[in-house]
Amino acid sequence: MGRDNDSYQQAFILVGFSDRPQLEVILFAFVLVFYILALVGNSAIIFLSIMDTRLHTPMYFFLGNLSFLDLCFTTSIAPQLLWNLWGPEKTITYQGCVAQLYIYMVLGSTECVLLAVMSYDRYVAVCRPLHYTVVMHPHLCLQLVIVSWFCGFLNSFVMCPQTMQLSRCGRHKVDHFLCEMPALIAMSCEDTMLVEAFAFVLGVALLLVPLSLILISYGMISATVLRIKSAAGCKKAFNTCSSHLTVVSLFYGTIIYMYLQPANSYSQDQGKFLTLFYTIVTPSVNPLIYTLRNKDVKGAMRKLLKGEKEDREA
């Protein structure tokens, strides 16, 4: 299989919506606002989960890790995207493209598994509350996070080399905002069936399997909640799970659509907007989803703000 190796080291041109400058201005403002929200919201959750001892529980340990993932995930995309939307140059170096592809695939894949881990934590909290502290001990929580990261690195180090080695016959215009795998596969000039097959198998392993485990966990949780007679108990269980289920729906819905379809049916414009959604919007709204109904996090925030106010008055 021939390789145009001499052209690999050339910069890629990220086309995006360069033919629609007015839309690029709107997108710049949109991305900037949501990126700032993602930075502030996720940093706040990480800080609170470390500083407030009441949040030193498995649930907030996983939430802190998810916020760290979201923070890194959106940061691996947004700065380069803002630079390209603002200026006339729409290029990214070959090395930058490779780094972007590796980093965001590691983080995205890790988040897929971590969301399944978090559903197991909620299953134990609702269905086995008396054994929660015994089952979800710190050593197991750390092991589950390590497994999540291992799966993310494994997926990235399998798929990224396969994607970047595809021959492009001198093509360097990526019809996207970033170096995303479906867009890079779509611009190849050779048969991509083997790479697509690898992507599909790993997509099933890292998307459908964790999603199935999440659905099983929530099926068991629902059965348990239906047996709870007190309204207060039902409300507590609902509040425990509703935020996570909302995040799962937002994240998995777009990711599955993006990665479990053939490259020849890949819609460029639709793919661009979906990519903006799960790389920029979702990481920025996750902190809001997890804190709006969370009394512990809101209490920690009030305690922190109250302490700062008292320090200023003193």
Side-chain angles (χ1 to χ4, degrees):
M1 188 161 46
R3 295 282 189 254
D4 47 341
N5 293 322
D6 58 332
S7 66
Y8 278 162
Q9 303 305 317
Q10 297 182 21
F12 286 102
I13 300 173
L14 299 174
V15 177
F17 289 127
S18 57
D19 58 332
R20 285 170 271 182
Q22 290 182 338
L23 182 57
E24 284 196 334
V25 173
I26 296 172
L27 286 175
F28 178 85
F30 174 85
V31 172
L32 180 62
V33 169
F34 277 95
Y35 182 47
I36 293 173
L37 289 175
L39 290 177
V40 174
N42 287 294
S43 297
I45 288 181
I46 295 170
F47 180 76
L48 290 174
S49 64
I50 294 174
M51 298 303 296
D52 197 306
T53 55
R54 293 175 299 176
L55 303 184
H56 291 177
T57 63
M59 179 182 296
Y60 298 107
F61 173 71
F62 293 131
L63 180 56
N65 276 274
L66 179 65
S67 293
F68 176 74
L69 275 173
D70 281 340
L71 191 62
C72 296
F73 191 42
T74 189
T75 300
S76 70
I77 302 297
Q80 177 72 44
L81 176 56
L82 289 170
W83 177 265
N84 287 346
L85 289 172
W86 179 257
E89 296 294 330
K90 311 294 182 185
T91 60
I92 183 172
T93 64
Y94 176 83
Q95 293 77 11
C97 185
V98 172
Q100 188 179 74
L101 183 64
Y102 270 91
I103 292 170
Y104 103 86
M105 285 198 67
V106 167
L107 297 172
S109 304
T110 301
E111 185 160 340
C112 288
V113 181
L114 184 62
L115 287 172
V117 169
M118 293 175 73
S119 71
Y120 175 70
D121 172 69
R122 279 147 179 75
Y123 157 76
V124 178
V126 175
C127 300
R128 302 179 63 187
L130 299 179
H131 302 90
Y132 180 73
T133 55
V134 177
V135 176
M136 300 304 297
H137 54 83
H139 187 60
L140 176 63
C141 294
L142 182 60
Q143 286 179 326
L144 292 172
V145 170
I146 291 174
V147 169
S148 301
W149 279 98
F150 174 78
C151 292
F153 276 101
L154 179 63
N155 180 51
S156 181
F157 281 92
V158 170
M159 284 310 306
C160 289
Q162 296 286 333
T163 302
M164 296 308 299
Q165 289 173 13
L166 289 172
S167 178
R168 297 177 181 86
C169 304
R171 302 174 185 171
H172 297 287
K173 290 186 177 181
V174 183
D175 191 8
H176 213 301
F177 298 117
L178 54 99
C179 292
E180 190 175 40
M181 189 176 71
L184 292 171
I185 292 176
M187 67 184 287
S188 175
C189 62
E190 66 180 71
D191 184 9
T192 60
M193 185 168 57
L194 183 60
V195 177
E196 289 183 61
F198 268 115
F200 182 80
V201 171
L202 288 173
V204 169
L206 288 171
L207 291 174
L208 296 187
V209 171
L211 182 59
S212 299
L213 294 175
I214 291 171
L215 294 177
I216 291 171
S217 296
Y218 277 105
M220 294 180 176
I221 289 172
S222 299
T224 302
V225 169
L226 291 175
R227 292 196 296 268
I228 298 176
K229 296 181 179 180
S230 68
C234 288
K235 184 178 179 180
K236 183 179 179 180
F238 176 77
N239 289 338
T240 300
C241 302
S242 59
S243 299
H244 179 254
L245 198 54
T246 302
V247 170
V248 167
S249 301
L250 291 173
F251 186 77
Y252 271 94
T254 51
I255 291 286
I256 288 176
Y257 181 85
M258 288 289 296
Y259 285 93
L260 291 185
Q261 64 170 326
N264 56 12
S265 64
Y266 181 76
S267 171
Q268 290 290 356
D269 283 354
Q270 195 174 46
K272 293 171 192 176
F273 284 113
L274 286 174
T275 299
L276 284 178
F277 188 83
Y278 79 81
T279 59
I280 305 296
V281 177
T282 302
S284 65
V285 299
N286 282 355
L288 294 175
I289 293 172
Y290 277 111
T291 57
L292 286 178
R293 293 187 176 183
N294 194 305
K295 294 181 180 180
D296 294 332
V297 175
K298 288 190 289 188
M301 182 67 73
R302 283 194 296 268
K303 179 182 176 182
L304 177 65
L305 296 176
K306 183 179 179 181
E308 290 181 353
K309 183 178 179 181
E310 290 175 350
D311 289 341
R312 286 197 299 270
E313 291 176 350

